[in-house]
Amino acid sequence: VSEVPVVFGPSDGWEAEAAREYFGDRLPYAVRYAELLGSAGIERGLLGPREVSRLWPRHLLNCAALTELVSRETRVVDVGTGAGLPGLVLALARPDIRVDLVESLQRRVDFLHEVVADLDLGEQVRVIRGRAEDAGVRAIVGGAPYVTARAVAPLDRLVKWCLPLLAPEGELLALKGATAGDELAEHLPAVRRAGGVGARIEMCGARLDESVPVIVIARGKGTR
Ligand SMILES: C[S@@+](CC[C@H](N)C(=O)[O-])C[C@H]1O[C@@H](n2cnc3c(N)ncnc32)[C@H](O)[C@@H]1O
């Protein structure tokens, strides 16, 4: 079997259109990020091999939909970022925001440093090795207007780790997929105990083939 060259750009049609809208003149950087994910990211086991064919719909565009919930010129902390999802996608799509990537595993942190250098994002993105619940991490990234998380932990654990990283009234944006409603209903008592208020589901990604449900939870004003 001859080797088939892998193309790392979005497919023609709605993917390409959405990619242009989300990434604007940074689209070539997003394509380069897709290439890094689809080569080194897969070789090092940060993503499964089956993900190569769905990097855009399932990863880059799914994560880019979160930009719809992030205000201008702000700061986002991405907890459990793995290979940089959604944090690096947000940084690429939104040059006006600063992004902190929090990841506990050194192997993933090494990859993140390489990608940040390759994409020349050093001014905009910080990579922090540690667990979100560690006091050291809290001291570095605490008081954030937004914390994001995708595929990191069930919501009851996520709120315990993430709400303390937020400024009062800051928002946790949790990408949870189709189970978002059920998960929020199940863990609402834990959300309230952790000081979360105004919990709701926002449907993002109107430009995509499937909308992207996001659990939004604010940190209550009086929460310590
Ligand atoms: C399943 S991966 C998801 C990665 C990425 N968010 C994505 O959507 O592809 C979960 C990641 O969270 C990291 N992680 C888990 N618990 C964490 C914690 N308490 N603090 C920081 N990172 C954590 C893991 O090391 C892993 O890289």
Side-chain angles (χ1 to χ4, degrees), residues 80-82 85 102-105 108 130-133 150-152 161:
T81 192
L85 298 161
V102 176
E103 171 54 51
S104 53
L105 287 184
R108 294 172 186 226
R131 296 190 61 85
E133 63 273 33
R150 187 181 85 149
V152 178
W161 296 347

Side-chain angles (χ1 to χ4, degrees), residues 5-10 52 56:
V6 182
V7 177
F8 289 101
V52 177
W56 282 87

Side-chain angles (χ1 to χ4, degrees), residues 91-176:
L92 286 168
R94 290 284 302 276
D96 60 301
I97 66 174
R98 283 176 298 135
V99 177
D100 292 328
L101 305 174
V102 176
E103 171 54 51
S104 53
L105 287 184
Q106 187 64 52
R107 209 159 44 90
R108 294 172 186 226
V109 166
D110 292 342
F111 177 78
L112 294 168
H113 280 298
E114 288 167 33
V115 176
V116 167
D118 188 291
L119 299 177
D120 202 15
L121 290 173
E123 300 273 299
Q124 195 190 350
V125 176
R126 289 193 294 185
V127 179
I128 293 131
R129 185 186 173 203
R131 296 190 61 85
E133 63 273 33
D134 289 348
V137 170
R138 213 174 279 181
I140 298 170
V141 305
Y146 296 98
V147 171
T148 54
R150 187 181 85 149
V152 178
L155 193 61
D156 52 346
R157 246 183 286 162
L158 211 52
V159 288
K160 274 199 224 152
W161 296 347
C162 297
L163 292 186
L165 300 178
L166 287 165
E169 300 186 78
E171 288 182 330
L172 168 64
L173 310 176
L175 271 167
K176 284 286 184 180

Side-chain angles (χ1 to χ4, degrees), residues 173-224:
L173 310 176
L175 271 167
K176 284 286 184 180
T179 60
D182 292 343
E183 199 169 337
L184 181 54
E186 182 187 344
H187 293 299
L188 202 51
V191 168
R192 293 193 176 127
R193 275 198 304 278
V197 297
R200 63 189 193 277
I201 310 264
E202 292 279 353
M203 300 305 282
C204 298
R207 306 165 174 134
L208 307 181
D209 67 334
E210 271 180 38
S211 52
V212 178
V214 179
I215 299 179
V216 182
I217 299 168
R219 179 179 178 173
K221 268 190 195 168
T223 317
R224 306 190 60 206

